[in-house]
Amino acid sequence: MSQQQTVFESVADIIEKISGVPAGQVTPENRLRDDLEIDSLALIEISVAVVETFQVDLPDEELKELRTVQDVVDRIETATINA
């Protein structure tokens, strides 16, 4: 299993815990707001969970730019590579 797949599965689990969308239905292409109906508050909760899980900071200005699940995975990978 690739690192990207592992990160994706962890993000899907976080999304399930916070939004109630089953992790098995989350795809990298899902748009956070439009497809998964994640509102601003839930997005902040996801950000906090990402920080706790991956020790990756998601500043507010970057959080607003994340549109898809893949964007979240890419952000985590970029941050961990540059750490």
XYZ file of all heavy atoms in Angstrom:
644
model
N 0.848 -1.178 0.000
C 0.000 0.000 0.000
C 0.897 1.245 0.000
O 1.835 1.342 0.773
C -0.913 -0.018 1.228
C -1.841 1.171 1.301
S -2.957 1.169 2.731
C -3.830 -0.361 2.532
N 0.601 2.170 -0.878
C 1.412 3.377 -0.984
C 1.123 4.324 0.186
O 0.075 4.227 0.841
C 1.130 4.087 -2.297
O -0.152 4.675 -2.264
N 2.056 5.248 0.410
C 1.852 6.239 1.478
C 0.623 7.079 1.176
O -0.152 7.398 2.077
C 3.071 7.133 1.621
C 2.877 8.195 2.696
C 4.073 9.111 2.830
O 5.101 8.894 2.234
N 3.911 10.146 3.632
N 0.434 7.437 -0.105
C -0.716 8.256 -0.471
C -2.017 7.521 -0.156
O -2.969 8.119 0.330
C -0.667 8.644 -1.944
C -1.771 9.630 -2.292
C -1.646 10.179 -3.685
O -1.504 9.413 -4.630
N -1.685 11.490 -3.801
N -2.067 6.223 -0.402
C -3.273 5.446 -0.106
C -3.517 5.397 1.402
O -4.651 5.511 1.867
C -3.147 4.020 -0.676
C -4.388 3.178 -0.457
C -5.617 3.697 -1.203
O -5.492 4.327 -2.240
N -6.795 3.426 -0.671
N -2.440 5.236 2.173
C -2.560 5.213 3.632
C -3.085 6.555 4.148
O -3.980 6.589 5.002
C -1.189 4.899 4.271
O -0.735 3.647 3.777
C -1.293 4.854 5.778
N -2.542 7.647 3.620
C -3.003 8.982 4.030
C -4.461 9.161 3.628
O -5.279 9.632 4.424
C -2.118 10.091 3.419
C -2.718 11.475 3.667
C -0.707 10.015 3.978
N -4.802 8.758 2.398
C -6.187 8.886 1.940
C -7.139 8.128 2.868
O -8.190 8.651 3.260
C -6.357 8.372 0.503
C -7.789 8.207 0.123
C -8.585 9.318 -0.131
C -8.380 6.954 0.081
C -9.931 9.177 -0.434
C -9.714 6.803 -0.223
C -10.497 7.921 -0.484
N -6.810 6.888 3.224
C -7.687 6.094 4.093
C -7.847 6.744 5.467
O -8.936 6.727 6.043
C -7.162 4.668 4.202
C -7.346 3.901 2.901
C -6.824 2.487 2.956
O -6.378 2.033 4.029
O -6.874 1.831 1.901
N -6.780 7.327 5.983
C -6.879 8.022 7.277
C -7.769 9.254 7.162
O -8.585 9.524 8.047
C -5.489 8.430 7.766
O -4.714 7.299 8.045
N -7.626 9.995 6.066
C -8.471 11.176 5.852
C -9.933 10.744 5.697
O -10.833 11.381 6.253
C -7.988 11.986 4.625
C -8.996 13.070 4.257
C -6.617 12.601 4.904
N -10.178 9.667 4.968
C -11.556 9.170 4.799
C -12.150 8.775 6.158
O -13.331 9.040 6.429
C -11.575 7.987 3.835
N -11.351 8.171 7.021
C -11.816 7.816 8.371
C -12.155 9.073 9.184
O -13.152 9.106 9.903
C -10.761 6.985 9.112
C -10.645 5.568 8.578
O -11.584 5.098 7.882
O -9.607 4.936 8.836
N -11.308 10.100 9.059
C -11.567 11.361 9.761
C -12.879 11.963 9.263
O -13.719 12.412 10.056
C -10.387 12.340 9.563
C -9.161 11.847 10.330
C -10.771 13.760 9.987
C -7.871 12.591 10.004
N -13.062 11.965 7.947
C -14.291 12.526 7.369
C -15.511 11.746 7.866
O -16.538 12.336 8.207
C -14.202 12.529 5.832
C -13.178 13.584 5.386
C -15.566 12.776 5.197
C -12.838 13.555 3.914
N -15.400 10.434 7.938
C -16.521 9.625 8.430
C -16.871 9.991 9.873
O -18.051 10.168 10.204
C -16.186 8.134 8.348
C -17.325 7.262 8.855
C -17.034 5.775 8.732
O -15.856 5.397 8.550
O -17.986 4.989 8.809
N -15.860 10.120 10.714
C -16.110 10.435 12.127
C -16.771 11.797 12.296
O -17.610 11.986 13.162
C -14.794 10.400 12.909
C -14.255 9.017 13.100
C -12.914 9.037 13.804
C -12.331 7.632 13.814
N -10.938 7.614 14.254
N -16.395 12.748 11.449
C -16.882 14.114 11.623
C -18.171 14.376 10.862
O -19.088 15.006 11.371
C -15.779 15.123 11.231
C -14.644 14.994 12.246
C -16.324 16.556 11.162
C -13.400 15.746 11.912
N -18.258 13.868 9.632
C -19.434 14.189 8.805
C -20.473 13.080 8.760
O -21.610 13.325 8.373
C -18.989 14.513 7.373
O -18.576 13.331 6.705
N -20.061 11.867 9.099
C -20.988 10.742 9.034
C -21.037 10.070 7.673
O -21.716 9.054 7.517
N -20.306 10.596 6.696
C -20.238 9.945 5.382
C -19.341 8.711 5.526
O -18.193 8.848 5.960
C -19.643 10.894 4.311
C -19.470 10.175 2.988
C -20.508 12.136 4.154
N -19.856 7.526 5.209
C -19.024 6.321 5.354
C -17.713 6.435 4.584
O -17.698 6.882 3.427
C -19.907 5.215 4.775
C -21.304 5.729 4.907
C -21.193 7.214 4.708
N -16.616 6.032 5.230
C -15.291 6.138 4.611
C -15.252 5.422 3.263
O -14.569 5.875 2.345
C -14.223 5.587 5.551
N -15.996 4.349 3.124
C -16.018 3.597 1.872
C -16.646 4.365 0.718
O -16.472 4.000 -0.446
N -17.384 5.414 1.023
C -18.014 6.217 -0.024
C -17.202 7.464 -0.360
O -17.545 8.199 -1.275
C -19.419 6.629 0.406
C -20.366 5.465 0.528
C -21.762 5.896 0.936
O -22.089 7.074 0.966
N -22.585 4.919 1.271
N -16.144 7.700 0.406
C -15.297 8.873 0.165
C -14.284 8.523 -0.923
O -13.633 7.482 -0.859
C -14.560 9.305 1.458
C -13.600 10.447 1.180
C -15.568 9.691 2.529
N -14.193 9.403 -1.930
C -13.211 9.209 -3.000
C -12.303 10.441 -3.047
O -12.690 11.515 -2.577
C -13.883 9.051 -4.376
O -14.490 10.297 -4.753
C -14.924 7.944 -4.358
N -11.119 10.302 -3.636
C -10.231 11.464 -3.741
C -10.870 12.619 -4.502
O -10.579 13.786 -4.242
C -9.015 10.924 -4.496
C -9.020 9.461 -4.211
C -10.477 9.086 -4.121
N -11.744 12.310 -5.435
C -12.358 13.351 -6.264
C -13.510 14.071 -5.576
O -13.970 15.115 -6.062
C -12.872 12.744 -7.575
C -11.784 12.155 -8.447
C -11.351 10.751 -8.000
O -12.093 10.080 -7.247
O -10.247 10.343 -8.389
N -13.999 13.539 -4.467
C -15.127 14.183 -3.776
C -14.779 15.613 -3.406
O -13.721 15.882 -2.849
C -15.494 13.438 -2.490
C -16.279 12.180 -2.719
O -16.107 11.234 -1.967
N -17.134 12.123 -3.704
N -15.693 16.541 -3.724
C -15.545 17.924 -3.285
C -16.076 18.005 -1.859
O -17.174 17.492 -1.567
C -16.304 18.856 -4.218
C -15.680 18.883 -5.622
C -16.517 19.626 -6.582
N -17.760 18.833 -6.754
C -18.787 19.221 -7.475
N -18.774 20.361 -8.091
N -19.856 18.462 -7.574
N -15.297 18.609 -0.987
C -15.627 18.625 0.434
C -16.996 19.247 0.693
O -17.819 18.671 1.397
C -14.537 19.374 1.214
C -13.149 18.725 1.159
C -12.095 19.675 1.707
C -13.133 17.411 1.923
N -17.229 20.420 0.132
C -18.497 21.119 0.406
C -19.638 20.587 -0.450
O -20.719 20.313 0.059
C -18.322 22.608 0.167
C -17.374 23.248 1.158
C -17.257 24.743 0.911
N -16.204 25.336 1.691
C -16.360 25.818 2.920
N -17.528 25.796 3.490
N -15.332 26.320 3.573
N -19.428 20.460 -1.740
C -20.524 20.123 -2.648
C -20.917 18.644 -2.601
O -22.103 18.321 -2.622
C -20.153 20.503 -4.086
C -19.961 22.009 -4.230
O -20.569 22.771 -3.464
O -19.200 22.404 -5.112
N -19.945 17.746 -2.557
C -20.262 16.317 -2.594
C -20.478 15.731 -1.198
O -21.353 14.897 -0.998
C -19.139 15.543 -3.287
C -18.968 15.951 -4.749
O -19.970 16.368 -5.373
O -17.836 15.848 -5.255
N -19.650 16.144 -0.244
C -19.706 15.559 1.100
C -20.486 16.430 2.079
O -20.690 16.034 3.228
C -18.286 15.313 1.619
C -17.430 14.388 0.742
C -16.012 14.293 1.292
C -18.051 12.998 0.637
N -20.908 17.621 1.606
C -21.705 18.551 2.412
C -21.018 18.885 3.741
O -21.659 18.919 4.795
C -23.110 18.005 2.626
C -23.857 17.818 1.321
C -25.271 17.299 1.494
O -25.700 17.067 2.644
O -25.934 17.126 0.464
N -19.721 19.111 3.659
C -18.940 19.489 4.835
C -18.989 21.010 4.958
O -18.541 21.720 4.055
C -17.497 18.973 4.715
C -17.519 17.443 4.748
C -16.607 19.554 5.803
C -16.192 16.794 4.511
N -19.535 21.497 6.064
C -19.631 22.938 6.254
C -18.348 23.475 6.901
O -17.416 22.725 7.182
C -20.863 23.297 7.080
C -20.840 22.701 8.475
O -19.761 22.284 8.955
O -21.913 22.647 9.100
N -18.325 24.769 7.133
C -17.128 25.423 7.657
C -16.717 24.860 9.011
O -15.531 24.633 9.268
C -17.357 26.927 7.780
O -17.600 27.479 6.528
N -17.679 24.626 9.890
C -17.377 24.090 11.217
C -16.780 22.683 11.116
O -15.781 22.363 11.768
C -18.628 24.079 12.094
C -18.428 23.578 13.517
C -17.390 24.425 14.246
C -19.737 23.587 14.275
N -17.396 21.845 10.286
C -16.879 20.482 10.107
C -15.486 20.511 9.488
O -14.627 19.687 9.833
C -17.834 19.657 9.252
N -15.245 21.461 8.593
C -13.921 21.577 7.977
C -12.866 21.927 9.028
O -11.752 21.401 9.001
C -13.950 22.625 6.864
C -12.771 22.620 5.902
C -12.576 21.257 5.257
C -12.966 23.675 4.833
N -13.242 22.769 9.971
C -12.317 23.098 11.061
C -12.060 21.863 11.925
O -10.932 21.596 12.330
C -12.865 24.273 11.898
C -12.827 25.553 11.054
C -12.077 24.452 13.195
C -13.547 26.723 11.660
N -13.110 21.081 12.183
C -12.941 19.843 12.955
C -12.017 18.872 12.212
O -11.188 18.195 12.833
C -14.289 19.187 13.210
C -15.168 19.956 14.162
C -16.506 19.276 14.375
O -16.521 18.114 14.781
O -17.538 19.925 14.094
N -12.158 18.799 10.904
C -11.279 17.940 10.106
C -9.845 18.440 10.209
O -8.905 17.653 10.364
C -11.758 17.881 8.638
C -13.057 17.081 8.559
C -10.684 17.284 7.723
C -13.763 17.147 7.211
N -9.672 19.750 10.154
C -8.341 20.343 10.280
C -7.702 19.958 11.613
O -6.536 19.574 11.659
C -8.444 21.862 10.154
O -7.217 22.464 10.433
N -8.463 20.050 12.685
C -7.947 19.698 14.011
C -7.556 18.214 14.047
O -6.499 17.847 14.559
C -8.987 20.014 15.105
C -8.572 19.440 16.453
C -9.207 21.522 15.207
N -8.399 17.371 13.472
C -8.105 15.929 13.447
C -6.860 15.638 12.609
O -6.058 14.762 12.961
C -9.309 15.161 12.904
N -6.682 16.372 11.507
C -5.477 16.199 10.679
C -4.233 16.600 11.467
O -3.223 15.893 11.441
C -5.592 17.014 9.369
C -4.243 17.156 8.679
C -6.606 16.359 8.428
N -4.327 17.696 12.200
C -3.196 18.135 13.017
C -2.850 17.058 14.045
O -1.681 16.692 14.221
C -3.511 19.473 13.720
C -2.452 19.813 14.763
C -3.621 20.590 12.694
N -3.858 16.519 14.714
C -3.629 15.495 15.745
C -3.096 14.197 15.146
O -2.246 13.543 15.726
C -4.923 15.221 16.500
C -5.364 16.390 17.351
C -6.732 16.179 17.986
O -7.409 15.176 17.661
O -7.132 17.034 18.784
N -3.591 13.826 13.985
C -3.218 12.538 13.381
C -1.858 12.595 12.700
O -1.046 11.678 12.841
C -4.285 12.103 12.361
O -5.549 12.032 13.020
C -3.945 10.749 11.756
N -1.624 13.665 11.948
C -0.412 13.737 11.112
C 0.613 14.762 11.593
O 1.670 14.881 10.991
C -0.803 14.079 9.667
C -1.673 13.040 9.020
C -3.042 13.230 8.930
C -1.134 11.885 8.510
C -3.863 12.286 8.326
C -1.923 10.919 7.912
C -3.292 11.121 7.823
N 0.290 15.501 12.651
C 1.155 16.586 13.124
C 1.457 17.556 11.981
O 2.578 18.016 11.793
C 2.457 16.053 13.729
C 2.288 15.469 15.108
C 1.644 14.089 15.091
O 2.078 13.235 14.338
N 0.636 13.867 15.909
N 0.425 17.846 11.184
C 0.526 18.777 10.059
C -0.406 19.944 10.334
O -1.587 19.740 10.592
C 0.098 18.080 8.743
C -0.004 19.085 7.616
C 1.058 16.968 8.401
N 0.158 21.147 10.276
C -0.655 22.334 10.518
C -1.374 22.733 9.241
O -0.803 22.707 8.154
C 0.238 23.473 10.998
C -0.573 24.658 11.475
O -1.721 24.457 11.927
O -0.064 25.776 11.400
N -2.665 23.053 9.356
C -3.446 23.554 8.228
C -3.934 24.949 8.581
O -4.999 25.119 9.155
C -4.646 22.639 7.950
C -4.366 21.260 7.407
C -5.657 20.467 7.259
C -3.646 21.341 6.078
N -3.131 25.968 8.241
C -3.544 27.340 8.542
C -4.873 27.668 7.868
O -5.202 27.122 6.807
C -2.412 28.185 7.955
C -1.264 27.250 7.769
C -1.851 25.895 7.571
N -5.611 28.613 8.455
C -6.938 28.983 7.943
C -6.903 29.359 6.465
O -7.784 28.976 5.706
C -7.518 30.137 8.750
C -7.963 29.703 10.127
O -8.080 28.478 10.364
O -8.204 30.577 10.970
N -5.867 30.114 6.066
C -5.816 30.537 4.670
C -5.641 29.349 3.716
O -6.153 29.365 2.604
C -4.722 31.597 4.435
C -3.324 31.157 4.764
C -2.936 31.369 6.223
O -3.773 31.763 7.057
O -1.772 31.116 6.540
N -4.945 28.300 4.151
C -4.798 27.103 3.323
C -6.062 26.245 3.396
O -6.439 25.615 2.417
C -3.592 26.292 3.767
C -2.280 26.958 3.437
C -1.092 26.100 3.784
O -1.236 24.864 3.865
O -0.010 26.662 3.981
N -6.686 26.240 4.544
C -7.904 25.447 4.725
C -8.989 25.879 3.742
O -9.691 25.047 3.174
C -8.387 25.602 6.166
C -9.416 24.628 6.686
C -8.902 23.202 6.637
C -9.804 24.997 8.108
N -9.077 27.171 3.491
C -10.085 27.705 2.574
C -9.840 27.272 1.136
O -10.766 27.257 0.335
C -10.103 29.230 2.651
C -10.559 29.765 3.982
C -10.434 31.267 4.034
C -10.765 31.784 5.423
N -10.496 33.220 5.561
N -8.595 26.935 0.814
C -8.248 26.567 -0.556
C -8.443 25.083 -0.844
O -8.364 24.668 -1.994
C -6.809 26.960 -0.840
C -6.581 28.463 -0.780
C -5.129 28.844 -0.965
O -4.310 27.972 -1.268
O -4.831 30.029 -0.793
N -8.683 24.281 0.178
C -8.856 22.845 -0.015
C -10.257 22.578 -0.547
O -11.242 22.840 0.126
C -8.626 22.100 1.299
C -7.245 22.291 1.930
C -7.188 21.590 3.277
C -6.157 21.790 1.007
N -10.340 22.072 -1.756
C -11.634 21.830 -2.394
C -12.039 20.351 -2.388
O -13.203 20.036 -2.279
C -11.597 22.321 -3.840
C -11.223 23.776 -3.990
C -12.409 24.663 -3.677
N -12.054 26.065 -3.889
C -12.108 26.972 -2.925
N -12.516 26.663 -1.738
N -11.771 28.213 -3.159
N -11.063 19.473 -2.562
C -11.384 18.046 -2.670
C -10.648 17.245 -1.592
O -9.722 17.759 -0.949
C -10.967 17.489 -4.049
O -9.537 17.519 -4.140
C -11.592 18.274 -5.192
N -11.033 16.002 -1.459
C -10.340 15.113 -0.524
C -8.886 14.966 -0.956
O -7.978 14.953 -0.124
C -11.049 13.741 -0.469
C -10.269 12.762 0.396
C -12.478 13.903 0.048
N -8.664 14.908 -2.269
C -7.278 14.796 -2.774
C -6.459 16.019 -2.382
O -5.266 15.887 -2.094
C -7.270 14.613 -4.296
C -5.883 14.336 -4.862
C -5.307 13.015 -4.374
O -5.973 11.988 -4.455
N -4.095 13.031 -3.864
N -7.076 17.195 -2.361
C -6.367 18.404 -1.921
C -5.865 18.226 -0.486
O -4.745 18.629 -0.163
C -7.274 19.636 -1.976
C -7.621 20.066 -3.392
O -6.932 19.649 -4.346
O -8.607 20.822 -3.532
N -6.677 17.632 0.371
C -6.281 17.413 1.769
C -5.112 16.425 1.826
O -4.114 16.655 2.521
C -7.465 16.892 2.611
C -7.027 16.605 4.037
C -8.626 17.890 2.588
N -5.234 15.337 1.067
C -4.164 14.323 1.038
C -2.863 14.948 0.522
O -1.797 14.749 1.111
C -4.582 13.115 0.161
C -3.406 12.156 -0.051
C -5.767 12.391 0.791
N -2.967 15.724 -0.561
C -1.770 16.357 -1.126
C -1.132 17.321 -0.129
O 0.094 17.375 -0.010
C -2.117 17.115 -2.415
C -2.468 16.178 -3.555
O -2.174 14.966 -3.477
O -3.063 16.669 -4.541
N -1.964 18.068 0.576
C -1.440 19.029 1.560
C -0.693 18.306 2.675
O 0.368 18.735 3.114
C -2.572 19.882 2.137
C -2.157 20.821 3.230
C -1.219 21.901 2.725
N -0.759 22.739 3.798
C 0.367 22.556 4.493
N 1.156 21.543 4.210
N 0.716 23.368 5.467
N -1.251 17.194 3.135
C -0.597 16.409 4.196
C 0.738 15.863 3.693
O 1.757 15.954 4.375
C -1.513 15.257 4.665
C -2.727 15.834 5.384
C -0.746 14.279 5.549
C -3.836 14.825 5.621
N 0.739 15.327 2.477
C 1.983 14.761 1.939
C 3.042 15.833 1.735
O 4.207 15.605 2.040
C 1.695 14.029 0.633
C 0.946 12.742 0.867
C 0.866 11.889 -0.374
O 0.865 12.435 -1.488
O 0.806 10.671 -0.207
N 2.646 16.984 1.232
C 3.601 18.077 1.037
C 4.195 18.506 2.371
O 5.406 18.712 2.485
C 2.910 19.271 0.354
O 2.433 18.855 -0.920
C 3.867 20.442 0.183
N 3.361 18.626 3.371
C 3.826 19.064 4.689
C 4.749 18.031 5.334
O 5.742 18.396 5.961
C 2.643 19.345 5.601
N 4.446 16.760 5.163
C 5.290 15.734 5.783
C 6.617 15.582 5.043
O 7.629 15.280 5.659
C 4.567 14.376 5.869
O 4.134 13.975 4.567
C 3.394 14.433 6.799
N 6.608 15.817 3.725
C 7.851 15.745 2.949
C 8.770 16.899 3.338
O 9.977 16.725 3.453
C 7.561 15.775 1.434
C 6.931 14.453 1.014
C 8.833 16.053 0.629
C 6.399 14.440 -0.399
N 8.177 18.079 3.553
C 8.959 19.269 3.877
C 9.311 19.385 5.358
O 10.010 20.315 5.739
C 8.204 20.536 3.427
C 8.086 20.605 1.925
O 8.958 20.124 1.200
N 7.007 21.189 1.439
N 8.817 18.470 6.171
C 9.074 18.545 7.618
C 10.491 18.124 7.951
O 11.157 17.454 7.270
C 8.089 17.676 8.383
